[in-house]
Amino acid sequence: MKVLDITESPGSRAKPTEDRAGSSGNLGWVIDGATDFSNERTLPGSSNVQWLVDLVNCGLRELGALNKFTKVADVLDRLGETVRAELASVAPAGLRHHPCCSIGLAVFDDGSVELGRIGDAVLVAYAGDLVGQEVSTDFFNRREARAVRQSRSAHQTREEIVAAMFSRRLEYIKGVHPESVFSGHPAGVFHVHRHTMPLKLAETVLICTDGFARAVDDYRLFPDWQELGRYARHAGLDGVTRLIRQHETSSAGTPGEKFKGADDVAAILLDSGSRR
């Protein structure tokens, strides 16, 4: 497995990105930090969510370097133990808003790759130009769109919107729904969605955060992941990111079904080595 391309881009010039992309050993991943709109800075870092994504990114690098894990669930379980222990040692009593994130993870083994996600990361395996497998969900998109419509119809204040947002996140953290997110919450539940496939059907693997996935799912810059993959192999992941930012700039002020008009972006394109 080797990295063909990688991109990270902040959705706002006012603050650094909360998304990460990386690889180590037989692992490749993206991390999508859930924006902390309360600006709570009770953990050691520029923000609570920055503390989490940096810890997760470092933890994945260490686990990948071992080259011993062959299952997504095992990696995330070990990562969860690390984050819970670290959080317990540094978090103040009564931490109000636990930081959380989505993770997309590819684990390469001899002759196969397991694609897994917790939260709304997207993983796409390609055999040549064709999509061999997609691991994704529209659950979080649908819930956010419903919340946006409700906030407008009820003329909610910012405080009411943020309170409702954190209420939904606590549901995701505790695994109330079939979908969840990654966190160090002591009552956190991980619902991991995964698919294992032979490398011949996964010559290349794209992993991205939902900000990057907007190119297909929301902005319709590409009709499907097959066309996006073909474009990315020609123009690079930065080329896709530029199209996303251009669209957001041209559509600024246009009501949509997102609370943020532009989101952070992270994506990585991996070569499984099956063609060699």
Side-chain angles (χ1 to χ4, degrees):
M1 184 267 292
K2 70 175 183 179
V3 177
L4 294 176
D5 202 1
I6 191 168
T7 189
E8 292 180 0
S9 169
S12 168
R13 295 180 181 179
K15 62 178 184 176
T17 180
E18 295 163 351
D19 290 5
R20 304 285 186 274
S23 69
S24 175
N26 66 323
L27 308 182
W29 64 83
V30 298
I31 307 161
D32 185 351
T35 300
D36 184 356
F37 289 111
S38 69
N39 293 317
E40 188 169 346
R41 292 177 173 83
T42 50
L43 300 177
S46 58
S47 70
N48 284 6
V49 69
Q50 289 285 358
W51 174 87
L52 177 64
V53 296
D54 286 339
L55 181 61
V56 169
N57 198 47
C58 181
L60 286 171
R61 289 193 183 283
E62 293 175 355
L63 294 173
L66 298 174
N67 274 300
K68 61 177 277 190
F69 292 94
T70 60
K71 299 294 182 184
V72 166
D74 292 342
V75 175
L76 294 178
D77 283 345
R78 179 67 68 86
L79 190 62
E81 293 172 3
T82 299
V83 172
R84 281 190 293 272
E86 185 66 20
L87 184 65
S89 71
V90 301
L95 180 64
R96 292 179 58 228
H97 300 305
H98 278 259
C100 58
C101 63
S102 296
I103 300 175
L105 178 65
V107 180
F108 292 84
D109 195 13
D110 292 337
S112 67
V113 59
E114 186 174 38
L115 310 178
R117 63 168 182 83
I118 179 169
D120 56 6
V122 176
L123 302 97
V124 184
Y126 294 93
D129 285 341
L130 302 178
V131 173
Q133 184 66 44
E134 176 185 340
V135 179
S136 64
T137 182
D138 66 352
F139 172 80
F140 298 96
N141 259 350
R142 286 188 284 107
R143 287 208 89 200
E144 182 176 5
R146 190 183 311 135
V148 169
R149 292 193 296 269
Q150 181 178 349
S151 71
R152 290 171 181 162
S153 63
H155 303 288
Q156 290 180 332
T157 64
R158 173 176 170 77
E159 289 73 19
E160 290 171 330
I161 292 172
V162 170
M165 177 191 69
F166 279 113
S167 177
R168 290 192 300 276
R169 284 190 186 171
L170 191 58
E171 292 179 357
Y172 303 154
I173 288 172
K174 294 186 174 182
V176 172
H177 306 282
E179 297 283 354
S180 67
V181 292
F182 182 93
S183 78
H185 194 290
V189 174
F190 297 165
H191 292 313
V192 183
H193 300 265
R194 53 194 181 272
H195 182 87
T196 301
M197 58 193 306
L199 292 182
K200 65 181 180 181
L201 297 179
E203 294 174 350
T204 56
V205 173
L206 171 68
I207 319 175
C208 65
T209 61
D210 67 329
F212 189 89
R214 288 189 183 195
V216 172
D217 296 337
D218 300 295
Y219 302 157
R220 309 299 180 191
L221 302 176
F222 302 92
D224 50 38
W225 287 103
Q226 180 172 310
E227 290 303 315
L228 183 146
R230 183 178 291 114
Y231 183 89
R233 282 186 287 274
H234 169 70
L237 297 177
D238 283 345
V240 177
T241 299
R242 280 193 294 272
L243 293 179
I244 291 171
R245 298 304 184 215
Q246 289 169 5
H247 176 87
E248 290 165 345
T249 299
S250 65
S251 303
T254 303
E257 293 194 324
K258 300 282 188 182
F259 283 116
K260 292 190 293 185
D263 200 1
D264 295 343
V265 159
I268 188 169
L269 186 63
L270 303 166
D271 184 339
S272 69
S274 61
R275 289 169 292 187
R276 293 191 292 274

